[in-house]
Amino acid sequence: MTERIEQIYDQAIAEEKLKDGTKYERLTAIVFKILDSSGLVVHDVKLSGDGKEASHQIDVSAGYHQVQQRVLVECKDYGSESVGIDIIRNFNGALVQLQPVQGIVVTTTRFTAGACAYARDEGIALVQLRPFTDDDWNGRVRAVKIAATGYALGEPRTTWEATGQARPAPAEAEDSTGRVSVYDVSYYDASGTRQGPLYSLLAPWHAELSRATPSDGSTDTVTGHHQLEHPVWLKQGHHLVEVSGFAWTAPVVPIDLDLHVTGSRIADLIAHAVQLPAAMPMTESLATALGPPGTVIFHDQLARWDVDDGVITPRPLI
């Protein structure tokens, strides 16, 4: 068993002692369930052909359409050794008796030229299922970089519109002229009684401002007029002055945005076809997933499945 395959299995499925090759076989079974979840996928099953006495140990059996279409898989977890013609020939002996719709040999490594030729002759698919490497990101989207310019309104300037009514201001009143904070300045009624902070009076105007912000930078400034629901009194100098609304103007400020979006998922395996028969009667989902450029299998996908008495089943939610 290769070390990386053992690590992937222990971290995603369960840390347990199994005989050599078993963890790879189970990972392969789970991957076939991921690639097409409609099938009944079983690890390590003995099958006999119709009317045959001999039984054959099959690493992975995936049955589709009420198991009328069966895909049988032979798994080889090799470090550097290539899968030779003997492996393909022995597996084909089982296929001849069992008559599945498709036989597939899956390995972590390569196939010899002789193995590829024999597989082509017999219509056996050859697939590489191996640990994912950084080189496998080539040609795939790993991150998305977005450069954009947005627009926002700068600090607005207002000109209050007085009705002409004025009276002496209370000593404690805050002056509303000049550059002031809407949180520190209050507005009053005609008797000089404080009604609340200026920001609460201007809340409807703030909503207008958000709608007035241009999205395309077509103008440098935005102007408008806001009419108060009813006149209020503001301190200006030594007097309370009645105002009914105000004109306003605000600069349009460009904001450059640079976004770098990356995924947080861990890529554990990659499954792709080394060689597929011209006529491959497996499910469309499997054929598409195994075709170029193959399918990346992520850690969270593997961790969703259990091997329950050989059958690949969803892991209970905790």
Side-chain angles (χ1 to χ4, degrees):
M1 179 189 316
T2 54
E3 182 178 354
R4 181 65 185 129
I5 289 297
E6 183 167 14
Q7 290 174 347
I8 291 171
Y9 183 91
D10 289 351
Q11 292 169 7
I13 312 304
E15 190 171 346
E16 54 188 336
K17 289 189 177 297
L18 297 171
K19 68 179 182 179
D20 283 353
T22 300
K23 291 184 179 181
Y24 184 62
E25 293 169 7
R26 290 188 173 186
L27 284 174
T28 301
I30 291 171
V31 167
F32 271 77
K33 187 68 174 179
I34 291 169
L35 298 182
D36 188 341
S37 61
S38 68
L40 173 66
V41 181
V42 183
H43 164 246
D44 191 17
V45 61
K46 284 192 175 182
L47 299 174
S48 297
D50 290 342
K52 306 295 183 181
E53 292 185 26
S55 63
H56 304 272
Q57 186 277 327
I58 301 298
D59 293 337
V60 177
S61 170
Y64 304 93
H65 305 292
Q66 287 78 45
V67 200
Q68 296 303 309
Q69 289 185 300
R70 192 190 299 274
V71 174
L72 302 183
V73 184
E74 176 79 1
C75 303
K76 294 299 174 185
D77 177 16
Y78 287 169
S80 58
E81 179 185 356
S82 297
V83 174
I85 189 173
D86 289 347
I87 298 297
I88 312 298
R89 185 186 291 120
N90 291 341
F91 182 50
N92 191 51
L95 299 180
V96 169
Q97 286 204 334
L98 300 175
Q99 293 295 301
V101 297
Q102 185 64 62
I104 305 176
V105 178
V106 176
T107 185
T108 51
T109 181
R110 297 167 299 279
F111 298 89
T112 65
C116 291
Y118 187 90
R120 281 195 298 273
D121 288 342
E122 301 302 324
I124 298 171
L126 304 181
V127 171
Q128 190 179 69
L129 174 65
R130 57 171 175 76
F132 190 89
T133 69
D134 283 343
D135 289 341
D136 292 315
W137 284 119
N138 293 336
R140 300 176 186 272
V141 177
R142 188 173 190 176
V144 177
K145 295 182 179 180
I146 302 172
T149 299
Y151 298 90
L153 292 184
E155 183 178 345
R157 295 181 178 274
T158 58
T159 303
W160 292 101
E161 297 174 341
T163 65
Q165 301 293 319
R167 59 191 61 207
E172 70 278 6
E174 309 90 356
D175 200 306
S176 65
T177 57
R179 186 176 181 181
V180 297
S181 168
V182 295
Y183 295 92
D184 297 333
V185 175
S186 300
Y187 67 97
Y188 299 83
D189 64 12
S191 67
T193 302
R194 181 181 181 276
Q195 300 299 296
L198 200 55
Y199 80 86
S200 63
L201 178 71
L202 300 181
W205 174 55
H206 289 152
E208 288 181 23
L209 281 179
S210 64
R211 293 192 293 269
T213 304
S215 59
D216 56 1
S218 57
T219 181
D220 293 333
T221 59
V222 177
T223 60
H225 177 270
H226 181 75
Q227 189 71 30
L228 297 175
E229 186 176 348
H230 54 78
V232 299
W233 296 77
L234 299 176
K235 183 181 180 183
Q236 295 183 358
H238 298 291
H239 294 85
L240 285 181
V241 176
E242 186 182 49
V243 297
S244 60
F246 55 89
W248 61 268
T249 181
V252 177
V253 180
I255 302 174
D256 292 328
L257 304 173
D258 288 310
L259 302 178
H260 189 192
V261 182
T262 59
S264 59
R265 302 174 77 191
I266 299 172
D268 273 346
L269 300 166
I270 183 168
H272 64 91
V274 174
Q275 179 176 290
L276 297 177
M280 188 174 58
M282 65 174 66
T283 71
E284 183 177 351
S285 296
L286 281 179
T288 300
L290 294 175
T295 298
V296 178
I297 308 299
F298 293 92
H299 181 85
D300 61 295
Q301 291 177 295
L302 294 172
R304 294 174 192 164
W305 300 95
D306 269 333
V307 184
D308 185 5
D309 197 23
V311 179
I312 308 305
T313 58
R315 180 163 290 177
L317 297 176
I318 299 177

